[in-house]
Amino acid sequence: MKIFKKIKRNIWPIFAEDDEEQKKKNADTQKKYGDKDSILNQIAYITEEDYAKQVTETAKELFEDERDRLKTVEGKAVTLLSATGLIISLIVNFSNNIKDAIMGSPTRIIGTIILLFFLLTVIYFLRSVWYSLKALSRKGYHQLDVKDIIDSNLKNKIEYFKKIGSVIIASRVKNYDVINEKVEFVVSSHRYFKRGVICLVVLGF
């Protein structure tokens, strides 16, 4: 039963978020980052200005790291999208050759196999495009705004640093799930792309 399940996964890769290894990795990362409410409660009890300032600086660095991670993920999605688009255009140009190979095959079984691999190739690359486009969507990502860092009701520097630190950490936690979802889309896009290339190599022979 496990063998058939493995074969099925190799032919039609499951979405990355359903992968048990990916789930475990996400859970470990979430545990490392800590609970948002717990962190914000700790910030609320800070009484020293230098400590509050240091927390804010560290939160800012972590936020920028997440932003860099977003750029890296989206960069990979663009690369996959470009490569897949090029390959699909080549497939369209050589579709007549594939048709001739099917029609000229010595047996019907061989013709059917060629047709099956051709259809799988097209489907795999189209799925790769789909997931790459989903990875590039901007929905749900939170950018810091001027109103997030300006508050006339704050009485001193400690309160200001605590406010900024809390805002940055809250934004980072919100973006964490968004970026992880983008990572999962890119992983899925790569899985389909890899299988498409394998089918293309088989067709080449």
Side-chain angles (χ1 to χ4, degrees):
M1 208 57 190
K2 287 184 178 179
I3 296 176
F4 288 113
K5 187 177 181 180
K6 190 173 183 179
I7 292 173
K8 182 181 177 182
R9 278 187 59 180
N10 285 330
I11 295 175
W12 194 257
I14 59 173
F15 184 46
E17 69 179 7
D18 294 328
D19 194 315
E20 290 300 323
E21 292 182 7
Q22 190 70 28
K23 283 183 179 180
K24 186 177 183 301
K25 189 183 294 183
N26 290 346
D28 291 342
T29 307
Q30 185 68 53
K31 184 178 180 181
K32 181 180 73 174
Y33 284 171
D35 179 67
K36 180 188 73 172
D37 294 333
S38 175
I39 295 172
L40 295 181
N41 285 334
Q42 292 179 51
I43 292 176
Y45 287 104
I46 294 176
T47 56
E48 298 179 8
E49 182 181 324
D50 290 341
Y51 184 34
K53 184 177 180 180
Q54 184 60 47
V55 168
T56 301
E57 290 297 325
T58 303
K60 180 182 176 183
E61 290 175 4
L62 293 173
F63 183 85
E64 289 175 350
D65 287 343
E66 284 295 284
R67 189 171 57 188
D68 291 340
R69 189 164 76 103
L70 173 67
K71 291 178 181 178
T72 300
V73 171
E74 291 187 340
K76 290 180 179 179
V78 170
T79 300
L80 279 168
L81 191 60
S82 301
T84 305
L86 177 61
I87 291 174
I88 288 176
S89 66
L90 291 175
I91 291 173
V92 172
N93 288 334
F94 287 101
S95 58
N96 287 332
N97 294 18
I98 298 294
K99 181 181 177 181
D100 292 340
I102 295 172
M103 299 299 293
S105 58
T107 65
R108 184 175 294 179
I109 294 176
I110 294 176
T112 302
I113 291 173
I114 294 174
L115 177 61
L116 178 62
F117 270 98
F118 176 72
L119 292 176
L120 278 175
T121 302
V122 173
I123 292 171
Y124 282 149
F125 284 124
L126 288 177
R127 293 288 287 178
S128 180
V129 169
W130 169 252
Y131 280 117
S132 293
L133 289 173
K134 287 179 76 68
L136 291 172
S137 65
R138 306 295 290 182
K139 183 176 66 176
Y141 188 80
H142 180 72
Q143 294 277 14
L144 291 177
D145 194 61
V146 175
K147 63 182 180 182
D148 294 324
I149 61 176
I150 296 178
D151 191 341
S152 58
N153 295 323
L154 299 178
K155 299 177 182 179
N156 51 54
K157 288 184 178 180
I158 295 179
E159 293 300 318
Y160 176 75
F161 287 135
K162 287 163 64 175
K163 162 69 185 285
I164 299 302
S166 298
V167 168
I168 293 175
I169 289 173
S171 296
R172 182 174 182 268
V173 172
K174 288 178 182 177
N175 292 337
Y176 172 81
D177 290 334
V178 175
I179 296 175
N180 268 0
E181 186 180 44
K182 288 176 177 287
V183 170
E184 289 161 1
F185 287 143
V186 170
V187 169
S188 293
S189 177
H190 182 263
R191 285 176 174 175
Y192 282 106
F193 181 85
K194 182 172 65 175
R195 282 157 179 79
V197 170
I198 291 172
C199 287
L200 208 57
V201 170
V202 173
L203 281 174
F205 289 105

